[in-house]
Amino acid sequence: MTATPTVELPEPLRLLAPDGTLAEGHVPALADEALLDAWRAMLRSRVCDERCFSLQRQGRLGTFSPVNGEEAAVVGSAWALEPGRDWIVPQYRELPAMLRFGYRLAQAMQYYTGKPAGSRMDAEANVLPFQISLAAQIPHAVGLAWGLRIQGLDAVVMTYFGDGASSEGDAHEALNLAGVRRAPVVFVLKNNGWAISTPVRKQTAAPSFAARAAGYGIAGELVDGNDLFAMHDACARAVARARAGEGPTLIEARTYRMGPHNTSDDPTRYVDPVELDEHRAFDPVERVRRHLTARGLVDETSEEALVAQLRAEVDAAFAEAQDSAPPGVEGIFDHVYARAPTRLDAQRAAAERRAAGQRDAATAREHR
Amino acid sequence: MTATPTVELPEPLRLLAPDGTLAEGHVPALADEALLDAWRAMLRSRVCDERCFSLQRQGRLGTFSPVNGEEAAVVGSAWALEPGRDWIVPQYRELPAMLRFGYRLAQAMQYYTGKPAGSRMDAEANVLPFQISLAAQIPHAVGLAWGLRIQGLDAVVMTYFGDGASSEGDAHEALNLAGVRRAPVVFVLKNNGWAISTPVRKQTAAPSFAARAAGYGIAGELVDGNDLFAMHDACARAVARARAGEGPTLIEARTYRMGPHNTSDDPTRYVDPVELDEHRAFDPVERVRRHLTARGLVDETSEEALVAQLRAEVDAAFAEAQDSAPPGVEGIFDHVYARAPTRLDAQRAAAERRAAGQRDAATAREHR
Amino acid sequence: MAEMTMIEAIRSTLGAALEADERVIVLGQDVGVNGGVFRATEGLQERFGAERVVDMPLAEAVIVGSAVGLACSGMIPIPELQFLGFGSQAFHQIEGQVARYAYRSQGSYPMPMVIRAPWGGNVRTPELHSDAHEAKYANAPGLKVVMPATARDAKGMLAEAIRDPDPVLFCEPLRGYRLIKDDVPEEDYTVPLGKARVVREGSDLVIVAYSAAVVIAERAADRAAEEGYSVGVLDLRSLVPLDVEALREAVAACGRAVVLHEGSLTAGFGGELVATIQEEAFWSLQAPIGRVAAPDAPYPRVTIEELYVPSVQRVLDAVRAAMEA
Amino acid sequence: MAEMTMIEAIRSTLGAALEADERVIVLGQDVGVNGGVFRATEGLQERFGAERVVDMPLAEAVIVGSAVGLACSGMIPIPELQFLGFGSQAFHQIEGQVARYAYRSQGSYPMPMVIRAPWGGNVRTPELHSDAHEAKYANAPGLKVVMPATARDAKGMLAEAIRDPDPVLFCEPLRGYRLIKDDVPEEDYTVPLGKARVVREGSDLVIVAYSAAVVIAERAADRAAEEGYSVGVLDLRSLVPLDVEALREAVAACGRAVVLHEGSLTAGFGGELVATIQEEAFWSLQAPIGRVAAPDAPYPRVTIEELYVPSVQRVLDAVRAAMEA
Ligand SMILES: Cc1ncc(C[n+]2csc(CCOP(=O)(O)OP(=O)(O)O)c2C)c(N)n1
Ligand SMILES: Cc1ncc(C[n+]2csc(CCOP(=O)(O)OP(=O)(O)O)c2C)c(N)n1
Ligand SMILES: [Mg+2]
Ligand SMILES: [Mg+2]
């Protein structure tokens, strides 16, 4: 009758060993062109991280949060969905997933360079914008999934959040509502060990976040988040359940943040270098590389060519973002309301006069 | 590796059968004078519910939420604590627990008649006031337990909330923090089947709230909330763990709200009378009565005398509350700040002038 | 025309909106089977089913937050806060998400949402249920804040708010639910947001108010009339958009004003009104603009709430003070 | 005296408070090992241990909510919100619990708490990090709201806020953390809450400001001086308590005022200031009081934030408008 304080938990699902060998008898659903596409997305992410970091150091980019170390968690999950049909609701560290669903790299670069257009979504994109307010997107994901289902679409929504964000009330309220409404959502909780400087053991006493699923009457699974195949496999099953009307799943992707929290962070203040080194052995990109190399699908030469191409892609995107001038006064006022109060229009007119170098005749006028 | 959607859950802990017989071999820790004291508290609660309802119907009392049906859940848990040492952090439906820890019935009557003094606690009372904001008290309970421990006291804090309140973000954040800090808290989640008109199946898809404990790395237990002995037993174990520094426990007390949500509610709109009738068979007061009668500890005559005495107690408390005049202007201003802004003092002075029938010379003056 | 209470007016608009547009969905605590704790949604679940009038778990942040997602999917959600005071639990979703999602997404995801919320004092509710929080929401750019004072406006403004592509916080005065009763056209109509209503003209002074306080303003104007003062009453109807024009005209015409609201004084919406009036009509002002508001104290328990909520007498005192200044 | 940045001043007060009183406990996200994302608590965990400078889970409501419980137990908690914008996640705990717990319990449970929160624009932060929410908190009776503009005040007012038996929201301007640097006494001292600071006198007009905007006000006053206007600057220091006396005196002396704040205009704290000034000094006023504030739009992305945050030029324009009115 007494539930013991800590439930004995299974090891995370792992299908691809760190040395690149597949689990006995496992035939990955992620194969052929999709697999290579996923591989490219992982490499693109690395290339983008590197490039953005150096641009930020040169003062040409704003705050940036790298994906570094979490490529398999993000790509494996997102590749279990169907572009054009399903949706991505991100936090801020899941660019590869967003790119697959219609967000463009040049938009990301606009976002990172602080331009409002970086969060404008193309009509055909099935992505919500980056979310700065931690966990606030999780209720949105549930509502989105619910609304799409009401409209007869059998879309699945995948939303991401971190071990830190999992502590917010919004995470709880959303997981619970998803259970009640059997909303077609896959919750990907990327446990990367850190919330800025806060290690996961200070975040929760739970031995696993996946264990929370039972408290909402939903499916839960603990997965090696650095294993592309395991992530894809678990998420594909979750997507199938969601699609079939069997409700949501909480996936805990055990991964590790290999770099700083973001460009303002100095992890040497709090990350034990020995621990960091240990985690390097589980690098998700390296693992897939080993696997693909062993299967003869990639080699050093082809990867070099690919990386060069990805660099060019990233550079082109950055250049495109650079070329788009930041907005003027309209960037402050457009879209705040669809039908703006007259007072806001007056404020806008005043701001336009100022921008045109005209002095305000009477400040009061702008408050109309 | 996959956690199945719904964890198979044990039946609630039950030690006292509805017919009043004890589980084979169980020797209740709640015995002798403490048991009779608990019984009196349960009866007092019933008497108080009845009295308050009729006073409210006469327009002599404000909004009132009866304990009706949850007496064992409240009394069994609170009697597992030690008065003078431990603390109660209530929602609003746990008067018997508060009374054991220094809150007085006359204060409760002041509260129900809308007098501010109803939430002033005596110096020796170890109780926080009634909390209207659902779940907001749960973080308080954790902080209180934490703070008492910092100060070297080995007090245990017991906090109560409902199945409805359990959906609030505050509940999650507090349970999680309690796990991290191993705070000496016993969380008593009274699942009475309803949040006003919302049945628990619309509140959550979880088969049990106790299952949430695993997601916080804390102990959890599902208990028959209409069983005084089971509640006491589970809570006594939880208190012992907390006292020993082994951290918090989440107790789900499965009970049933036998009456309306409060004096403004009309449950005939939404409660199936058949369901309600079924639950009557599990009445917690009747169950203890049967047990005590079988053991020869109470009989009809002694109960009649007791009820008469309790009625007198409640009436005296109500009379005392009636006698205490509501405050005047000071009731608005006292205690808002310990060091009030001068502007508030000016507002107070103006209010006093008004109360004295004087017209305000200049309204502006009160905003100083 | 039919005489209707405010609650009936609101119910009828909700029914009409659910009827007219499949995308409309009503969600909240106890809005379904129970028809809302004040019966604003009574009968709607029976008419439109449990998928369109939805009883939600007890969690304000996800009631509002899931409405954001519903709107992203193309729905028109009408979440209900059981009381405005519990909007604080959803404050981050309202000010941080609902209010700025259209701006954040540069128009990709508009938020055609109406958050309904009852509030207001002198109805003997428990703590936190009467709290006036409108000034906090009026300071959340991207949101509109509507505060009707009549059944007629409640019906027409709620209809307009539902059609409006921007998110609206629609605050309903508890005191008015059953007490406010007026002639309401039976047909469908809308009342624009941001157009104040001249309740009565007055040549000496104008009292500016909104929601249930408009009745207090009218009574004070009556009493002032007995003393020979011609006092007008302006019902703002919405705080955002604010009818700056109407404020200017009303004060320019008479040169004196008293602003009135139920919430506490400091940083209450009265400050905004005074500031706007003096920006717009400074040279017409013949006396300081009076503010009548609750004191800077929490809403008290019911035995003393009448000492807290601004009374007719207090407004009258302010009128006299302005007239005699 | 030593020249100190604002962040150093704050750190020194926190250290002194932890040193002086065992009941003081600092809690928040990343305040421990990392010393806070802005290093406000750097070195404190090393000095006072992880039980007194506590890294908390990422959950604002329980950071503040557990501080309520800590206070009930007799502690003096100093919770940190990593950014004021994320105070919205804890809004129900701050306005509904912290602010009114002493009142609710009729003095049984005072809340001697200081909630520290950085905020403010033009520092190239991501969305929501710069938001000015002070008006919303100033409208939460029971709470005090402190907004220092100098390192000296930051040190002395934080010390006072910690000693003050009432709960205080202590807002720290991000822009000032390292840029604001002034002479700070090395010894322990306090600066009272509710006493404004006359930054400079002026016979033509006074600019009323607080926090990082005081520097903007000073620069505008300099520029106005070049045009021959004698412009004073009043630093409010705290919004609650509000130094009504100082406002009256400042405006009575010169007859003209401009109020300035970083947050958006409508229902911003400027409204309160204008209303108070005209209540107190109506007959001295020679021109409408100007308000300079951000527009009624969300805080924008970094490339255009300078178009949003009130500039020296805008304040100067408002000064001229008032002088020429
Ligand atoms: C509601 C809220 N609180 C605080 C912050 C400041 N903050 C930004 S990122 C971060 C840590 C996030 O950790 P986690 O959720 O684990 O995500 P990760 O960065 O590891 O991907 C914090 C505290 C925020 N953005 N939102
Ligand atoms: C934060 C908040 N939201 C809404 C309410 C309105 N309300 C009062 S009681 C109640 C239902 C509570 O249900 P539950 O938590 O199960 O407790 P019970 O009344 O069954 O004991 C609601 C919705 C409130 N008081 N606080
Ligand atoms: Mg993390
Ligand atoms: Mg319940």
Side-chain angles (χ1 to χ4, degrees):
Chain A
M1 276 154 298
T2 306
T4 44
T6 55
V7 175
E8 215 49 67
L9 267 155
E11 282 293 292
L13 174 70
R14 180 178 284 175
L15 297 174
L16 187 66
D19 67 3
T21 56
L22 260 173
E24 272 286 323
H26 180 73
V27 185
L30 187 65
D32 307 325
E33 192 38 45
L35 173 58
L36 288 173
D37 192 40
W39 165 243
R40 274 191 298 273
M42 291 174 77
L43 268 192
R44 182 185 294 107
S45 179
R46 278 267 150 112
V47 164
C48 186
D49 278 359
E50 281 165 19
R51 201 79 192 92
C52 287
F53 247 85
S54 88
L55 285 165
Q56 199 277 342
R57 291 298 178 241
Q58 299 160 36
R60 301 169 70 195
L61 206 86
T63 311
F64 171 79
S65 297
V67 182
N68 195 357
E70 304 174 28
E71 293 86 353
V74 175
V75 170
S77 53
W79 262 248
L81 296 170
E82 200 181 301
R85 182 187 202 182
D86 299 323
W87 283 73
I88 296 289
V89 179
Q91 187 84 73
Y92 49 68
R93 208 188 286 286
E94 298 88 18
L95 179 59
M98 296 167 76
L99 293 176
R100 189 165 196 244
F101 284 76
Y103 189 58
R104 289 174 291 105
L105 201 50
Q107 293 176 298
M109 294 298 165
Q110 288 186 301
Y111 183 84
Y112 298 137
T113 51
K115 292 174 180 164
S119 289
R120 181 192 296 133
M121 294 298 154
D122 293 343
E124 63 282 7
N126 283 358
V127 191
L128 299 192
F130 285 115
Q131 177 62 253
I132 291 299
S133 188
L134 289 164
Q137 78 281 13
I138 319 179
H140 306 169
V142 176
L144 175 61
W146 175 13
L148 294 169
R149 204 185 42 178
I150 291 174
Q151 291 164 75
L153 301 166
D154 63 352
V156 174
V157 176
M158 189 171 277
T159 188
Y160 294 90
F161 55 104
D163 45 306
S166 78
S167 296
E168 289 281 0
D170 276 4
H172 166 70
E173 297 188 14
L175 282 159
N176 188 49
L177 177 65
V180 171
R181 301 227 59 87
R182 295 181 83 75
V185 184
V186 181
F187 299 94
V188 181
L189 190 166
K190 285 184 300 142
N191 175 358
N192 65 1
W194 298 98
I196 310 186
S197 73
T198 310
V200 71
R201 68 165 195 288
K202 290 190 191 173
Q203 198 64 247
T204 189
S208 142
F209 291 104
R212 292 209 178 140
Y216 303 115
I218 69 175
E221 187 160 1
L222 175 60
V223 183
D224 178 348
N226 286 12
D227 175 340
L228 181 69
F229 292 121
M231 280 302 298
H232 184 269
D233 184 72
C235 291
R237 282 182 279 114
V239 169
R241 276 194 299 271
R243 190 98 68 208
E246 290 164 27
T249 301
L250 171 62
I251 304 273
E252 175 182 353
R254 279 269 169 89
T255 177
Y256 197 80
R257 202 190 74 202
M258 295 298 292
H261 168 70
N262 65 17
T263 43
S264 317
D265 181 41
D266 173 11
T268 64
R269 296 175 69 91
Y270 57 81
V271 175
D272 176 356
V274 178
E275 183 185 313
L276 185 62
D277 253 5
E278 277 167 23
H279 278 279
R280 277 192 217 286
F282 300 96
D283 184 292
V285 171
E286 183 55 30
R287 209 188 287 195
V288 177
R289 180 183 289 123
R290 286 191 184 123
H291 176 75
L292 295 180
T293 308
R295 284 175 60 187
L297 292 169
V298 305
D299 60 23
E300 244 177 74
T301 338
S302 75
E303 184 170 332
E304 259 169 44
L306 177 56
V307 165
Q309 183 201 317
L310 294 170
R311 283 212 180 107
E313 235 185 73
V314 171
D315 287 341
F318 181 72
E320 190 184 329
Q322 285 282 92
D323 285 350
S324 75
V329 165
E330 76 278 12
I332 304 288
F333 294 93
D334 276 353
H335 307 297
V336 176
Y337 295 93
R339 297 189 193 156
T342 52
R343 161 173 275 190
L344 191 67
D345 289 336
Q347 292 172 357
R348 179 184 193 131
E352 279 163 358
R353 283 196 303 275
R354 277 196 303 274
Q358 292 163 26
R359 184 191 140 184
D360 271 345
T363 32
R365 292 277 119 13
E366 73 180 272
H367 305 326
R368 284 277 159 73
Chain B
M1 274 154 298
T2 306
T4 44
T6 55
V7 176
E8 215 51 66
L9 268 155
E11 283 291 293
L13 174 71
R14 180 177 284 173
L15 297 173
L16 187 65
D19 67 4
T21 56
L22 259 176
E24 273 284 327
H26 180 74
V27 184
L30 188 65
D32 307 324
E33 191 39 43
L35 174 58
L36 288 174
D37 192 41
W39 164 244
R40 274 190 299 271
M42 292 174 77
L43 268 191
R44 181 185 296 109
S45 179
R46 278 266 151 111
V47 164
C48 185
D49 278 0
E50 283 166 19
R51 201 77 194 94
C52 287
F53 247 86
S54 90
L55 285 165
Q56 199 278 344
R57 291 298 179 244
Q58 299 161 35
R60 300 169 70 197
L61 205 85
T63 312
F64 170 79
S65 297
V67 183
N68 194 356
E70 303 174 28
E71 293 85 352
V74 175
V75 170
S77 53
W79 262 248
L81 296 171
E82 202 183 299
R85 180 188 202 182
D86 299 323
W87 283 74
I88 295 288
V89 178
Q91 188 84 71
Y92 49 68
R93 209 187 285 286
E94 298 87 17
L95 179 59
M98 296 168 75
L99 293 176
R100 188 162 197 248
F101 284 77
Y103 189 59
R104 289 174 290 105
L105 203 50
Q107 292 176 297
M109 294 297 165
Q110 286 185 303
Y111 183 85
Y112 298 137
T113 50
K115 292 175 183 165
S119 289
R120 180 191 299 134
M121 294 298 154
D122 293 343
E124 63 282 8
N126 283 357
V127 191
L128 299 193
F130 285 115
Q131 177 61 256
I132 291 300
S133 188
L134 289 163
Q137 79 281 13
I138 318 179
H140 307 170
V142 177
L144 175 62
W146 175 13
L148 294 169
R149 205 187 38 178
I150 290 174
Q151 291 164 74
L153 301 166
D154 65 350
V156 174
V157 175
M158 189 171 276
T159 188
Y160 294 90
F161 55 105
D163 45 308
S166 78
S167 295
E168 289 282 1
D170 276 3
H172 167 67
E173 297 188 13
L175 282 159
N176 188 50
L177 177 66
V180 172
R181 300 228 61 88
R182 295 182 83 75
V185 184
V186 181
F187 299 94
V188 181
L189 190 166
K190 284 184 299 142
N191 175 357
N192 66 1
W194 298 97
I196 309 186
S197 74
T198 309
V200 71
R201 68 166 194 288
K202 291 190 190 173
Q203 199 62 246
T204 189
S208 140
F209 291 103
R212 293 208 177 141
Y216 303 115
I218 69 174
E221 186 160 3
L222 174 61
V223 183
D224 178 348
N226 287 12
D227 175 340
L228 180 70
F229 292 121
M231 280 303 298
H232 184 267
D233 183 71
C235 291
R237 282 181 281 113
V239 169
R241 275 194 300 273
R243 190 101 65 208
E246 290 163 27
T249 301
L250 171 61
I251 304 273
E252 175 182 351
R254 279 268 169 90
T255 176
Y256 198 80
R257 201 190 73 201
M258 296 298 293
H261 167 69
N262 65 19
T263 42
S264 316
D265 181 43
D266 173 12
T268 63
R269 297 174 69 89
Y270 57 82
V271 176
D272 175 358
V274 177
E275 183 185 312
L276 185 62
D277 254 5
E278 276 167 24
H279 278 279
R280 276 192 218 288
F282 300 96
D283 184 292
V285 171
E286 182 57 29
R287 210 188 287 193
V288 178
R289 179 182 291 122
R290 286 193 183 120
H291 175 76
L292 295 180
T293 308
R295 285 176 58 188
L297 292 169
V298 306
D299 59 25
E300 246 177 74
T301 338
S302 75
E303 184 171 332
E304 261 170 42
L306 177 55
V307 166
Q309 181 201 318
L310 293 171
R311 285 215 176 102
E313 234 182 76
V314 172
D315 287 342
F318 181 73
E320 188 184 329
Q322 284 281 91
D323 285 348
S324 74
V329 165
E330 76 279 11
I332 303 288
F333 294 93
D334 276 351
H335 307 296
V336 176
Y337 295 92
R339 297 190 194 154
T342 51
R343 162 173 274 189
L344 192 67
D345 288 336
Q347 293 172 358
R348 180 185 193 132
E352 279 162 359
R353 284 196 300 276
R354 279 196 301 276
Q358 291 162 26
R359 183 190 142 185
D360 271 344
T363 32
R365 290 278 118 12
E366 72 179 274
H367 304 327
R368 282 280 157 76
Chain C
M1 287 287 189
E3 213 185 40
M4 261 193 202
T5 61
M6 193 177 262
I7 199 92
E8 287 163 350
I10 288 163
R11 194 187 302 132
S12 86
T13 301
L14 290 174
L18 282 158
E19 185 80 51
D21 192 335
E22 274 218 314
R23 297 170 302 168
V24 171
I25 177 169
V26 168
L27 57 156
Q29 293 157 16
D30 306 296
V31 298
V33 179
N34 201 30
V37 290
F38 298 103
R39 312 288 174 252
T41 54
E42 187 163 35
L44 296 182
Q45 191 178 74
E46 280 154 39
R47 272 172 75 193
F48 301 102
E51 297 296 310
R52 296 194 64 204
V53 181
V54 186
D55 280 321
M56 292 287 281
L58 208 162
E60 289 78 11
V62 85
I63 291 174
V64 174
S66 67
V68 170
L70 284 162
C72 290
S73 84
M75 304 289 290
I76 300 176
I78 311 186
E80 174 182 295
L81 297 171
Q82 199 161 83
F83 294 89
L84 180 60
F86 305 126
S88 295
Q89 264 81 351
F91 201 64
H92 57 296
Q93 285 288 346
I94 301 175
E95 72 83 12
Q97 304 297 324
V98 173
R100 54 183 117 192
Y101 218 91
Y103 177 72
R104 175 182 300 146
S105 68
Q106 294 286 293
S108 312
Y109 298 109
M111 287 288 126
M113 181 189 305
V114 181
I115 304 174
R116 293 182 40 249
W119 73 289
N122 276 341
V123 284
R124 305 186 67 78
T125 65
E127 209 203 352
L128 301 161
H129 289 61
S130 292
D131 289 19
H133 288 295
E134 69 277 12
K136 301 173 180 89
Y137 292 100
N139 190 231
L143 194 67
K144 293 176 175 172
V145 180
V146 175
M147 310 204 81
T150 66
R152 186 193 177 101
D153 280 354
K155 181 172 170 186
M157 297 189 88
L158 181 55
E160 176 65 19
I162 296 171
R163 283 173 183 76
D164 194 285
D166 299 312
V168 175
L169 178 68
F170 192 85
C171 301
E172 306 169 359
L174 284 168
R175 203 156 75 242
Y177 266 164
R178 293 192 162 72
L179 277 183
I180 292 179
K181 212 175 175 156
D182 46 83
D183 280 340
V184 175
E186 268 159 276
E187 70 276 11
D188 192 28
Y189 65 95
T190 60
V191 173
L193 313 185
K195 291 272 162 255
R197 178 173 68 97
V198 177
V199 181
R200 64 171 78 174
E201 310 261 2
S203 55
D204 289 327
L205 181 148
V206 60
I207 306 174
V208 180
Y210 48 88
S211 195
V214 171
V215 177
I216 305 296
E218 291 188 66
R219 291 205 200 125
D222 287 342
R223 296 266 302 276
E226 292 167 19
E227 301 186 11
Y229 298 126
S230 167
V231 171
V233 174
L234 186 70
D235 169 10
L236 276 182
R237 280 176 163 160
S238 63
L239 309 191
V240 181
L242 181 64
D243 192 344
V244 176
E245 197 81 18
L247 283 170
R248 182 178 53 244
E249 279 171 17
V251 179
C254 61
R256 289 182 169 86
V258 166
V259 303
L260 164 65
H261 55 75
E262 273 195 29
S264 53
L265 180 90
T266 295
F269 200 73
E272 178 58 48
L273 294 174
V274 172
T276 300
I277 292 170
Q278 74 91 42
E279 280 156 13
E280 297 294 324
F282 181 81
W283 304 107
S284 318
L285 283 175
Q286 292 166 44
I289 303 158
R291 277 195 290 172
V292 181
D296 291 324
Y299 198 96
R301 299 300 316 281
V302 303
T303 43
I304 51 174
E305 61 184 336
E306 268 136 39
L307 294 170
Y308 180 85
V309 178
S311 61
V312 173
Q313 184 60 48
R314 279 193 62 201
V315 181
L316 183 64
D317 283 349
V319 169
R320 290 166 171 164
M323 291 311 303
E324 294 164 13
Chain D
M1 286 287 189
E3 213 184 41
M4 263 192 200
T5 60
M6 193 178 262
I7 199 92
E8 287 163 349
I10 288 163
R11 194 188 302 133
S12 86
T13 301
L14 291 173
L18 282 157
E19 184 78 53
D21 193 335
E22 275 219 312
R23 295 169 304 168
V24 171
I25 177 171
V26 167
L27 56 157
Q29 294 158 16
D30 307 296
V31 297
V33 181
N34 200 31
V37 291
F38 299 103
R39 313 289 174 249
T41 53
E42 188 165 33
L44 296 183
Q45 191 178 73
E46 280 154 39
R47 273 173 72 193
F48 301 102
E51 297 296 309
R52 297 195 63 204
V53 181
V54 186
D55 281 321
M56 292 287 281
L58 209 163
E60 289 79 10
V62 84
I63 290 174
V64 174
S66 67
V68 170
L70 284 163
C72 290
S73 83
M75 304 289 290
I76 300 176
I78 311 186
E80 173 182 295
L81 298 170
Q82 199 161 83
F83 294 90
L84 181 60
F86 305 125
S88 296
Q89 264 80 353
F91 201 64
H92 57 295
Q93 284 289 346
I94 301 175
E95 72 83 12
Q97 304 297 323
V98 174
R100 57 184 116 191
Y101 218 91
Y103 178 71
R104 175 182 301 147
S105 67
Q106 294 287 291
S108 312
Y109 298 108
M111 287 287 127
M113 182 189 306
V114 181
I115 304 174
R116 293 182 40 248
W119 72 290
N122 276 340
V123 285
R124 305 186 67 78
T125 64
E127 209 201 353
L128 301 161
H129 288 62
S130 292
D131 289 20
H133 288 296
E134 71 277 12
K136 301 172 180 92
Y137 293 100
N139 189 231
L143 195 64
K144 293 177 174 172
V145 180
V146 176
M147 310 204 80
T150 65
R152 187 195 175 99
D153 280 355
K155 181 171 168 185
M157 295 187 88
L158 182 55
E160 176 66 18
I162 296 170
R163 284 175 183 75
D164 194 285
D166 299 312
V168 175
L169 178 68
F170 191 85
C171 302
E172 306 170 1
L174 284 169
R175 204 155 75 242
Y177 265 164
R178 291 190 166 73
L179 277 182
I180 291 177
K181 213 175 173 149
D182 46 82
D183 281 340
V184 175
E186 269 159 273
E187 70 276 11
D188 192 29
Y189 64 94
T190 60
V191 173
L193 313 184
K195 289 274 163 255
R197 178 173 67 98
V198 177
V199 181
R200 63 172 80 176
E201 309 262 2
S203 55
D204 290 326
L205 182 148
V206 61
I207 307 174
V208 180
Y210 48 88
S211 195
V214 171
V215 176
I216 306 296
E218 290 189 66
R219 291 204 201 126
D222 286 341
R223 295 267 300 276
E226 290 166 22
E227 302 186 12
Y229 298 128
S230 166
V231 171
V233 174
L234 186 71
D235 169 10
L236 276 182
R237 282 176 163 162
S238 63
L239 309 192
V240 180
L242 181 64
D243 192 345
V244 176
E245 196 81 16
L247 283 170
R248 181 179 52 245
E249 279 171 17
V251 179
C254 61
R256 289 182 168 87
V258 165
V259 304
L260 164 65
H261 56 75
E262 274 196 28
S264 53
L265 180 90
T266 296
F269 200 73
E272 178 58 48
L273 294 175
V274 172
T276 301
I277 291 170
Q278 74 92 44
E279 282 157 11
E280 296 294 324
F282 180 81
W283 304 107
S284 318
L285 283 175
Q286 293 166 46
I289 303 160
R291 274 194 292 174
V292 181
D296 291 325
Y299 197 96
R301 297 302 314 282
V302 302
T303 45
I304 50 173
E305 62 183 334
E306 268 134 41
L307 294 170
Y308 180 86
V309 179
S311 61
V312 173
Q313 184 60 47
R314 280 192 64 201
V315 180
L316 183 64
D317 284 350
V319 169
R320 289 163 171 168
M323 291 312 303
E324 294 164 15

